[in-house]
């Protein structure tokens, strides 16, 4: 078996996964962001005009946490399907190593790995979802992006 074919694929998967996890878990969100805003509010002078705006923002953020953030969930069926695609891509890369690295084994493995990775990126993050697991888009207060509500 030629393991040299699998090494670049494993490195690419590890790099994508570490970058994704680093981005997801390093950003302050939710209650941590409210705590930082409350610290800023405490440092502002009592007669500051921005104080009332910041207080309104903190109230809206806490309301959003209570109504939206605590009800977010993952799409576990989509995650399992993505894992099946990723395992299948691994077997295709293994087939490539057994068959002298034929290009169609590698191309098939790359396509299936891409589909599995995209499925994991869509299904993995916690979001408000409907009964079928599809995300319900709305105004995202953390990022400031406007989405059309479905």
């Amino acid at each position: 078996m030629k393991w040299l074919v699998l090494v670049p694929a494993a490195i690419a998967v590890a790099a994508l996964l570490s970058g994704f996890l680093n981005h997801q878990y390093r950003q302050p969100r939710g209650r941590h962001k409210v705590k930082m805003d409350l610290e800023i509010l405490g440092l502002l002078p009592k007669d500051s005009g921005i104080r009332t705006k910041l207080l309104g923002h903190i109230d809206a953020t806490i309301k959003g946490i209570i109504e939206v953030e605590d009800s977010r969930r993952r799409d576990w069926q989509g995650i399992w399907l993505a894992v099946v695609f990723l395992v299948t891509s691994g077997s295709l890369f293994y087939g490539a190593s057994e068959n002298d690295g034929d290009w169609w084994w590698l191309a098939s493995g790359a396509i299936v790995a891409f589909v599995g990775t995209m499925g994991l990126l869509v299904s993995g993050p916690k979001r408000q979802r409907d009964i079928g697991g599809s995300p319900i888009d709305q105004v995202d207060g953390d990022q400031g992006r406007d989405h059309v509500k479905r």
Side-chain angles (χ1 to χ4, degrees):
M1 171 164 58
K2 298 181 181 171
W3 290 98
L4 291 178
V5 176
L6 297 178
V7 171
I11 291 171
V13 168
L16 284 172
L17 186 61
S18 67
F20 173 72
L21 292 175
N22 187 29
H23 176 71
Q24 284 293 323
Y25 296 108
R26 289 231 174 213
Q27 310 245 344
R29 286 183 287 225
R31 289 173 175 83
H32 183 68
K33 212 170 190 180
V34 170
K35 183 179 175 185
M36 291 172 28
D37 286 345
L38 286 170
E39 289 173 3
I40 293 171
L41 184 68
L43 296 174
L44 287 174
K46 301 285 184 203
D47 59 346
S48 175
I50 196 73
R51 189 174 176 85
T52 57
K53 287 184 180 181
L54 183 59
L55 194 55
H57 173 72
I58 292 169
D59 288 343
T61 303
I62 291 173
K63 182 181 176 186
I65 289 171
I66 292 169
E67 293 176 358
V68 176
E69 190 173 310
D70 289 344
S71 67
R72 291 181 178 175
R73 61 189 176 90
R74 291 182 170 87
D75 177 17
W76 290 106
Q77 291 174 335
I79 291 172
W80 283 113
L81 183 62
V83 168
V84 168
F85 272 93
L86 291 172
V87 169
T88 303
S89 71
S91 66
L92 288 169
F93 287 131
Y94 176 76
S97 69
E98 288 293 316
N99 293 304
D100 297 326
D102 287 339
W103 67 270
W104 59 275
W105 283 93
L106 291 173
S108 301
I111 291 169
V112 173
F114 177 77
V115 170
T117 303
M118 291 299 108
L120 200 56
L121 291 175
V122 168
S123 299
K126 284 187 173 182
R127 297 183 184 159
Q128 272 194 312
R129 299 182 185 272
D130 61 11
I131 293 176
S134 298
I136 300 172
D137 292 333
Q138 38 184 269
V139 176
D140 188 359
D142 287 343
Q143 301 295 329
R145 292 175 281 175
D146 290 331
H147 296 287
V148 177
K149 191 171 185 176
R150 288 185 199 170

